[in-house]
């Protein structure tokens, strides 16, 4: 399976065998390009994808010791993401599928993140509750034994990664902010500021991080207005603790309610040290097994898209050459039917 991922600022292509063996996984990150703007500039991202997609595809085939003739099917992320970026990967995938007369599979990028765990852990058992946390999404999903997925909770406003990135920017840390907050927090006191834990007690699995982000930013502005210095490590650690407390509490409650003994973490924020530690502790004390991917599979990559594509392909999904980018693609069943051109 050839996988292609261009939904945001990573141009990636991968060859994955039988949905389990990564033969190659080439990721070209544009992060340095966007750093000076403090975020991804969509127009800049799509131009770079255009420049990088063919060399990245060539390298993925070379690294795998494969040629296009060895490819059984092509899987591509078709949403959610930036429309101009998505279109570059989709156009490449369609061209290869047409030229090689190979099946084309459209993959939801968020579902792709979940399959990073399938690739990384051969002993993974389903059903499971999966917390998918990245720059664009925060979702709690129930993954069935048959690989079906049901959304049981989502963010109502900012995604967890978005909150990390915005707080980091106000603290004067680099972009993307998550890894910086993670790093500086190790030197800080997580109880120094008592930030809110939004919706932690509510009897649902939804999240809301906009209020927490605003509370942190207001705290920093107040200190600056008073002419006081901002204790960056303490503020970062306190913010991170509040966010991790909410993510952990809701994930554990979901696992208990759904009576599953497996929990998965996926998406860029799954690389967060504190989140992994806290969730591990809570899972261990309940006999729940926790799985998370290695850092290279947490971030956007095409191997996870190829793996998800393999399972879709096995269950009969095929897209045709009318496959289009769906920037706002959701995880809901009805939306999938409506928006995905996949035909079983
Ligand atoms: O999955 P991803 O690479 O792209 C999207 O699909 O959004 O996730 C990127 C997000 C960014 O917001 C980044 O700050 C966050 O993941 N991130 C982290 C860490 N590493 C990446 N957040 C917290 N702690 C980390 N160690
Ligand atoms: Zn992602």
């Amino acid at each position: 399976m050839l996988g292609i991922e261009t939904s945001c600022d990573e141009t990636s292509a991968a060859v994955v065998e039988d949905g389990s063996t990564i033969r190659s996984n080439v990721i070209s990150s544009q992060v340095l390009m966007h750093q000076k703007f403090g975020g991804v500039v969509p127009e800049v991202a799509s131009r770079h994808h255009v420049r990088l997609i063919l060399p990245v595809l060539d390298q993925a085939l070379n690294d795998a010791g494969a040629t296009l003739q060895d490819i059984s099917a092509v899987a591509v992320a078709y949403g959610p993401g930036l429309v101009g970026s998505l279109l570059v990967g989709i156009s490449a995938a369609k061209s290869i599928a047409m030229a090689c007369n190979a099946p084309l599979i459209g993959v939801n990028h968020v579902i792709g993140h979940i399959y990073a765990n399938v690739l990384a852990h051969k002993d993974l058992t389903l059903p499971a509750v999966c917390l998918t946390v990245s720059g664009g999404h925060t979702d709690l999903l129930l993954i069935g034994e048959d690989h079906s997925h049901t959304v049981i909770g989502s963010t109502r406003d900012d995604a967890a990664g978005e909150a990390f990135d915005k707080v980091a920017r106000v603290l004067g840390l680099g972009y993307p902010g998550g890894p910086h907050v993670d790093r500086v927090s190790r030197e800080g006191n997580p109880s120094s500021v008592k930030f809110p834990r939004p919706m932690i007690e509510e009897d649902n699995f939804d999240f809301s991080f906009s209020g927490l982000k605003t509370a942190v930013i207001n705290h920093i502005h107040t200190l600056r207005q008073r002419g006081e210095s901002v204790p960056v490590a303490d503020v970062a650690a306190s913010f991170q603790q509040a966010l991790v407390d909410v993510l952990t509490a809701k994930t554990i409650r979901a696992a208990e309610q759904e009576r599953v003994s497996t929990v998965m973490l996926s998406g860029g924020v799954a690389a967060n040290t504190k989140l992994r530690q806290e969730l591990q502790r809570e899972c261990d004390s309940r006999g729940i097994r926790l799985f998370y991917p290695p850092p290279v599979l947490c971030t956007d990559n095409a191997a996870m898209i190829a793996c998800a594509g393999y399972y879709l392909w096995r269950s009969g999904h095929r897209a045709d050459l009318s496959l289009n980018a769906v920037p706002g693609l959701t995880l809901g069943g009805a939306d999938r039917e409506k928006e995905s051109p996949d035909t079983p």
Side-chain angles (χ1 to χ4, degrees):
M1 180 75 65
L2 177 67
I4 300 179
E5 158 64 44
T6 61
S7 62
C8 189
D9 61 342
E10 263 93 27
T11 316
S12 182
V15 177
V16 172
E17 206 175 317
D18 297 335
S20 65
T21 308
I22 302 177
R23 294 277 298 269
S24 65
N25 188 23
V26 179
I27 306 167
S28 175
S29 174
Q30 307 175 6
V31 79
L32 294 174
M33 216 74 67
H34 298 284
Q35 234 161 26
K36 57 176 176 279
F37 303 109
V40 178
V41 182
E43 180 63 24
V44 174
S46 28
R47 284 172 193 274
H48 278 93
H49 284 307
V50 169
R51 214 164 47 78
L52 291 165
I53 189 72
L54 293 180
V56 164
L57 276 163
D58 272 343
Q59 198 185 325
L61 289 169
N62 275 340
D63 288 0
T67 66
L68 281 180
Q69 279 65 48
D70 301 316
I71 298 302
S72 313
V74 186
V76 62
Y78 72 100
L82 303 168
V83 65
S85 293
L86 288 164
L87 281 171
V88 178
I90 293 170
S91 307
K94 285 203 257 188
S95 311
I96 294 169
M98 190 170 80
C100 300
N101 201 21
L104 177 68
I105 322 290
V107 176
N108 183 316
H109 173 85
V110 182
I111 297 296
H113 272 298
I114 299 165
Y115 279 82
N117 281 300
V118 176
L119 273 176
H121 305 289
K122 306 295 174 237
D123 57 338
L124 180 81
T125 49
L126 298 175
V129 159
C130 183
L131 174 67
T132 302
V133 264
S134 73
H137 10 262
T138 301
D139 298 295
L140 263 174
L141 297 125
L142 178 64
I143 314 295
E145 268 177 284
D146 58 352
H147 287 230
S148 61
H149 63 268
T150 313
V151 183
I152 51 178
S154 288
T155 183
R156 295 187 181 169
D157 40 56
D158 290 7
E162 203 179 340
F164 267 107
D165 293 341
K166 286 181 182 163
V167 165
R169 191 191 306 186
V170 180
L171 282 173
L173 303 169
Y175 171 84
H180 292 285
V181 172
D182 192 345
R183 184 177 40 79
V184 302
S185 293
R186 287 176 208 150
E187 311 297 326
N189 173 6
S191 335
S192 70
V193 194
K194 185 80 186 148
F195 289 123
R197 269 77 173 150
M199 301 181 70
I200 198 164
E201 299 297 345
E202 283 186 27
D203 191 20
N204 58 50
F205 299 119
D206 285 343
F207 303 95
S208 164
F209 294 119
S210 163
L212 169 61
K213 174 198 69 187
T214 308
V216 180
I217 293 173
N218 286 345
H219 179 78
I220 298 167
H221 285 164
T222 306
L223 289 176
R224 285 186 182 144
Q225 273 162 8
R226 286 198 207 130
E228 294 174 29
S229 66
V230 177
V232 173
D234 286 347
V235 173
S238 301
F239 154 72
Q240 180 178 263
Q241 187 67 56
L243 194 137
V244 165
D245 280 354
V246 180
L247 291 175
T248 305
K250 294 228 160 180
T251 305
I252 294 293
R253 211 181 303 149
E256 286 178 332
Q257 183 173 305
E258 301 295 341
R259 297 175 193 280
V260 297
S261 52
T262 305
V263 166
M264 292 189 259
L265 257 181
S266 68
V269 184
N272 185 263
T273 320
K274 190 76 178 177
L275 178 60
R276 289 176 174 204
Q277 279 170 357
E278 302 266 315
L279 212 43
Q280 190 72 64
R281 198 188 56 219
E282 296 303 317
C283 284
D284 286 350
S285 69
R286 291 168 174 82
I288 296 172
R289 295 171 80 210
L290 174 68
F291 295 89
Y292 45 78
V296 67
L297 293 177
C298 281
T299 192
D300 290 349
N301 70 88
M304 69 187 195
I305 301 299
C307 180
Y310 170 81
Y311 284 94
L312 283 169
W313 176 63
R314 268 199 0 184
S315 64
H317 280 74
R318 303 287 183 270
D320 59 31
L321 294 179
S322 67
L323 182 71
N324 205 352
V326 185
L329 185 65
T330 63
L331 291 167
D335 281 324
R336 257 165 63 95
E337 295 280 291
K338 239 188 321 159
E339 294 177 344
S340 165
D342 292 354
T343 47

